[in-house]
């Protein structure tokens, strides 16, 4: 089976679930953070045969990593387990760290393709400081505004990049070798290059435009709105996920 | 110029200062607990990463730093000792120095020992275990579960089982004893990590670039790092590793993007080598003091770009 892991309010994942099902990617399971609670029986093992996961759901269904063909992974963090609210603060923080470490490990053992691969810096891909994204965007050939950070700007935001809430914004969605959005071809090409340099399969790239109409890199998202790519985005996801089909 | 960041009196940082001084290699210390007169700014533009560090009346262009060694404490515990809880501007400034420094370290082209992003693998022990296994090391059989029955089955299979944190927090190893089986219901609400106990000699390997220093640790403590708490004795001596094991350690550290790493191995009586974990910010001074290995000198040579010996391999 294929898996979509997401948070309960992730409409983009819901849209992808319906689109991929209609495309014929079945069996496909949508697993939300709300389903990944302590009432499940968790069994994560690592031995000479590698790492694997088995989850027994409340309704007796068993999810085994060995039966997974591919994953659309849009988990951005550990779900909040209500039981932890009853624990005193110091222990709760410890338990939350334990759960985060556990989630990272079992997500990592899910078989490829996994879009995006989990990392210690983010479950749905590696989160980076904006300064690092600017450096990568520059290397990818995108036009950037200088990024500046200073400890001297003590009473105002220390990051001044010239982007205001009123700046026009545009987005590009990258899925593997495809890029979607109403952007000039060179912007689409460089956005794909940025995703490649960041070793990230799915990436949203945000831009603003200046008075001369130049597209200026603004920021990125590891959990972009997939609907921006409409049906071709579903086709791209299908192509990537279907590569894991076992024959 | 080498930049050293952290608390200067802390042993690992103090030793590197001493060695750089002996090597007459220029260095600057950014004292994390004394940053009131420290300012830092950097810029990313089409000309790369540029900026300036000001400590008191001294100014340094960030491009001057060819090596950086960080032993930074978390921003809260790294605050000046005399800072008041209500001194918000001062607290904000300390956090700002910390955040700006970490952001710059992540993108600086200098030799960085080690970047924060590279230290991330240690945040989840079983995640790191998967990376370790991919480099060809044996790993202890591991079970993470909230099912007491699975733990009992694991315990029956392995006879000797330890439990420890999944994260890097409160990570002290304990033996799972028979009487502990009665309180396994506690794990129902939080998956817990269990591992087959590997009997053998603990070996701590420090890798610095291509250089390898291995120390054998002889103790009856389950977790030698806390031997004193368990009232156990501990002896340590430097050893040479077989070349293939040393090379695997260097490769593992390189894969984890750690120019300096502390790798914990266990070598069994049958000479099987298990890797337990990789420490991305090793407090090496303890091992240097016990074994006389020149770890701080090699680290200083590495940071300053001088030639250093590739040591620790046994011939053949």
């Amino acid at each position: 089976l294929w898996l979509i892991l997401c948070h309960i309010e992730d409409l983009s994942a819901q849209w992808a679930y319906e689109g991929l099902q209609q495309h014929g990617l079945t069996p496909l399971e949508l697993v939300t953070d709300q389903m990944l609670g302590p009432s499940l029986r968790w069994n994560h093992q690592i031995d000479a045969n590698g790492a694997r996961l088995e989850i027994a759901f409340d309704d007796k269904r068993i999810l085994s990593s060995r039966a997974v063909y591919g994953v659309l992974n849009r988990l951005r963090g550990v779900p909040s387990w209500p039981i932890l609210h009853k624990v005193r603060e110091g222990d709760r923080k410890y338990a939350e760290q334990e759960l985060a470490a556990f989630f990272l490990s079992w997500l990592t053992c899910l078989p490829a393709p996994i879009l995006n691969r989990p990392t210690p810096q983010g479950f749905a891909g590696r989160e980076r400081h904006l300064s690092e994204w600017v450096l990568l965007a520059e290397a990818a050939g995108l036009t950037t505004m200088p990024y500046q950070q200073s400890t001297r700007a003590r009473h105002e935001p220390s990051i001044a990049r010239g982007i205001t809430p009123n700046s026009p914004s545009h987005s590009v969605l990258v899925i593997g070798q495809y890029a979607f959005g109403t952007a000039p071809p060179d912007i689409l090409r460089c956005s794909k290059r940025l995703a490649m340099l960041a070793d990230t399969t799915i990436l949203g790239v945000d831009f603003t435009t200046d008075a001369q109409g130049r597209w200026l890199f603004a920021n990125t998202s590891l959990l972009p709105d997939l609907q921006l790519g409409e049906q071709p985005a579903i086709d791209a996801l299908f192509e990537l996920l279907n590569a894991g089909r076992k024959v | 110029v080498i930049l050293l960041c952290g608390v200067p009196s802390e042993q690992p940082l103090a030793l590197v200062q001493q060695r750089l001084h002996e090597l007459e290699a220029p260095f600057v210390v950014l004292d994390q607990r004394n940053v009131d007169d420290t300012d830092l700014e950097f810029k990313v533009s089409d000309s790369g990463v540029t900026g300036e560090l000001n400590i008191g009346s001294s100014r340094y262009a960030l491009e001057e730093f060819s090596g950086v060694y960080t032993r930074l404490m978390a921003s809260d515990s790294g605050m000046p000792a005399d800072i008041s809880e209500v001194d918000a501007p001062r607290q904000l400034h300390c956090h700002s120095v910390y955040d700006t420094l970490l952001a710059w370290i992540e993108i600086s082209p200098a030799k960085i020992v080690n970047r924060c992003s590279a230290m991330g693998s240690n945040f989840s022990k079983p995640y790191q275990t998967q990376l370790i296994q991919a480099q060809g090391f044996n790993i202890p059989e591991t079970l993470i579960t909230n099912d007491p029955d699975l733990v009992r089955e694991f315990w029956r299979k392995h006879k000797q089982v330890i439990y420890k944190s999944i994260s890097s927090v409160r990570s002290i190893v304990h033996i799972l004893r028979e009487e502990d089986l009665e309180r396994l219901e506690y794990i129902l609400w939080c998956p817990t990590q269990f591992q087959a106990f590997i009997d053998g000699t603990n070996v701590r390997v420090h890798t610095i670039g291509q250089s390898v220093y291995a120390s054998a640790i002889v103790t009856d403590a389950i977790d030698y790092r806390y031997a004193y708490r368990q009232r156990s004795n501990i002896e340590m001596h430097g050893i040479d590793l077989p070349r293939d094991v040393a090379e695997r350690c260097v490769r593992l550290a390189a894969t984890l993007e750690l120019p300096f790493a502390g790798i914990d191995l266990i070598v069994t009586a049958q000479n099987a080598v298990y890797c337990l974990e990789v420490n991305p910010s090793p407090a090496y001074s303890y091992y240097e003091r016990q074994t006389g290995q020149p770890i701080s000198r090699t680290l200083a040579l590495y940071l300053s770009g001088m030639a250093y010996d590739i040591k620790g391999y046994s011939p053949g």
Side-chain angles (χ1 to χ4, degrees):
Chain A
L1 83 164
W2 284 269
L3 272 182
I4 295 181
L5 298 171
C6 64
H7 288 264
I8 190 83
E9 72 278 14
D10 188 344
L11 297 177
S12 223
Q14 178 73 32
W15 173 81
Y17 173 68
E18 286 164 10
L20 287 166
Q21 269 200 323
Q22 281 169 17
H23 206 304
L25 196 77
T26 56
L28 179 64
E29 289 268 357
L30 183 75
V31 176
T32 70
D33 59 326
Q34 304 287 303
M35 297 160 72
L36 298 170
S39 63
L40 277 58
R41 193 196 68 161
W42 294 90
N43 177 6
H44 177 33
Q45 299 200 31
I46 311 169
D47 59 25
N49 298 315
R52 60 194 173 279
L53 170 77
E54 201 178 85
I55 305 173
F57 286 96
D58 300 340
D59 60 5
K60 309 288 182 204
R61 277 181 310 138
I62 303 265
L63 172 65
S64 167
S65 57
R66 287 175 170 164
V68 173
Y69 299 159
V71 186
L72 175 59
N73 169 29
R74 288 177 61 93
L75 276 184
R76 61 168 183 269
V78 178
S80 175
W81 288 9
I83 184 78
L84 295 182
H85 299 305
K86 296 178 183 170
V87 179
R88 66 186 167 96
E89 196 187 342
D91 287 339
R92 185 172 71 245
K93 280 187 179 163
Y94 169 67
E96 283 167 354
Q97 299 242 37
E98 287 289 284
L99 282 180
F102 174 54
F103 268 60
L104 174 61
S105 184
W106 71 254
L107 282 168
T108 300
C109 85
L110 296 175
I114 174 160
L115 320 173
N116 289 322
R117 280 201 315 272
T119 72
Q121 291 78 31
F123 286 171
R126 181 174 160 183
E127 302 277 0
R128 294 165 197 266
H129 194 269
L130 184 55
S131 58
E132 195 176 351
W133 280 117
V134 171
L135 198 64
L136 283 173
E138 190 72 40
L142 292 167
T143 304
T144 65
M145 283 173 290
Y147 173 94
Q148 209 160 353
Q149 185 165 338
S150 172
T151 57
R152 284 208 183 87
R154 288 180 192 174
H155 302 293
E156 58 193 55
S158 60
I159 298 167
R161 303 191 56 247
I163 298 172
T164 69
N166 297 325
S167 300
S169 66
H170 313 274
S171 294
V172 166
L173 168 68
V174 178
I175 301 178
Q177 56 180 318
Y178 304 99
F180 308 100
T182 52
D186 61 322
I187 295 295
L188 295 174
R189 193 179 59 250
C190 292
S191 296
K192 284 192 283 182
R193 185 159 164 70
L194 173 60
M196 195 185 72
L197 290 174
D199 196 19
T200 301
T201 310
I202 298 178
L203 184 70
V205 190
D206 297 331
F207 297 89
T208 188
T209 43
D210 64 9
Q212 291 78 46
R214 286 186 311 163
W215 283 56
L216 305 171
F217 170 82
N219 212 335
T220 61
S221 168
L222 295 167
L223 294 170
D225 182 4
L226 300 170
Q227 297 179 73
L228 177 72
E230 301 178 335
Q231 183 58 35
I234 294 290
D235 298 341
L237 288 171
F238 178 84
E239 184 185 314
L240 287 166
L241 290 167
N242 198 44
R245 184 187 290 274
K246 301 201 173 39
V247 286
Chain B
V1 181
I2 313 301
L3 178 63
L4 306 176
C5 309
V7 178
S9 58
E10 199 234 359
Q11 274 300 295
L13 203 62
L15 282 175
V16 170
Q17 283 177 75
Q18 200 178 320
R19 301 297 168 241
L20 287 169
H21 187 72
E22 288 162 10
L23 292 167
E24 296 181 359
F27 66 93
V28 172
V29 180
L30 193 162
D31 182 349
Q32 190 184 4
R33 288 195 173 152
N34 186 21
V35 291
D36 290 318
D37 61 350
T38 298
D39 274 302
L40 175 67
E41 62 183 24
F42 72 90
K43 187 174 177 181
V44 183
S45 65
D46 50 11
S47 48
V49 183
T50 54
E52 192 172 84
L53 170 66
N54 297 329
I55 301 177
S57 57
S58 303
R59 292 181 170 208
Y60 310 94
L62 294 179
E63 305 87 282
E64 278 180 51
F65 295 119
S66 55
V68 181
Y69 178 46
T70 72
R71 285 283 301 172
L72 288 166
M73 297 183 183
S75 76
D76 288 340
S77 48
M79 289 274 181
D82 64 337
I83 201 162
S84 152
E85 280 181 11
V86 293
D87 192 350
R90 208 170 156 216
Q91 287 204 1
L92 278 174
H93 179 67
C94 292
H95 281 295
S96 179
V97 170
Y98 183 80
D99 289 345
T100 307
L101 184 63
L102 287 187
W104 170 70
I105 280 173
E106 211 55 41
I107 56 174
S108 163
K111 279 184 177 176
I112 308 287
V113 178
N114 290 321
R115 285 196 167 86
C116 250
S117 55
M119 296 194 199
S121 75
N122 195 45
F123 144 75
S124 168
K125 306 287 181 190
Y127 166 77
Q128 195 188 59
T129 297
Q130 294 179 59
L131 304 182
I132 288 169
Q133 188 178 39
Q135 293 307 313
F137 281 102
N138 295 314
I139 47 101
E141 252 186 66
T142 302
L143 167 70
I144 304 168
T145 188
N146 59 347
D147 182 346
D149 289 340
L150 286 177
V151 181
R152 290 187 191 100
E153 194 183 308
F154 192 75
W155 187 75
R156 279 193 293 272
K157 179 183 173 189
H158 294 287
K159 311 289 191 280
Q160 274 196 297
V161 169
I162 57 112
Y163 60 97
K164 64 178 188 181
S165 293
I166 307 171
S167 69
S168 52
V169 182
R170 299 187 193 174
S171 182
I172 303 176
V173 178
H174 296 280
I175 281 276
L176 182 69
R177 300 180 197 286
E178 193 159 7
E179 55 265 34
D180 295 328
L181 300 177
E182 290 166 20
R183 55 186 188 102
L184 278 177
E185 306 307 313
Y186 288 134
I187 71 168
L188 283 169
W189 303 108
C190 192
T192 303
Q193 176 168 235
F194 301 87
Q195 277 186 339
F197 175 73
I198 307 295
D199 196 12
T201 304
N202 285 285
V203 176
R204 162 53 76 98
V205 182
H206 289 103
T207 59
I208 305 159
Q210 299 285 314
S211 201
V212 178
Y213 295 99
S215 317
I217 298 124
V218 182
T219 181
D220 55 354
I222 294 301
D223 189 336
Y224 76 84
R225 298 168 305 170
Y226 301 94
Y228 65 95
R229 285 194 197 176
Q230 296 164 19
R231 295 190 178 128
S232 296
N233 291 323
I234 186 163
E235 283 178 28
M236 197 179 289
H237 56 273
I239 57 168
D240 279 346
L241 289 175
R243 176 174 285 272
D244 67 311
V245 177
E247 285 175 349
R248 224 180 303 154
C249 287
V250 168
R251 207 166 50 234
L252 174 60
T255 303
L256 299 179
E257 298 178 5
L258 295 170
F260 182 32
I263 301 174
D264 287 320
L265 305 179
I266 287 198
V267 182
T268 68
Q270 293 76 36
N271 271 331
V273 179
Y274 285 78
C275 181
L276 303 184
E277 67 175 274
V278 182
N279 185 325
S281 184
Y284 67 87
S285 46
Y286 173 61
Y287 303 87
E288 177 162 316
R289 208 166 46 239
Q290 300 284 326
T291 62
Q293 292 168 328
I295 302 172
S296 58
R297 181 178 161 82
T298 305
L299 188 53
L301 288 166
Y302 175 85
L303 285 164
S304 54
M306 297 183 204
Y308 60 93
D309 292 341
I310 297 178
K311 286 190 172 172
Y313 294 11
S314 65

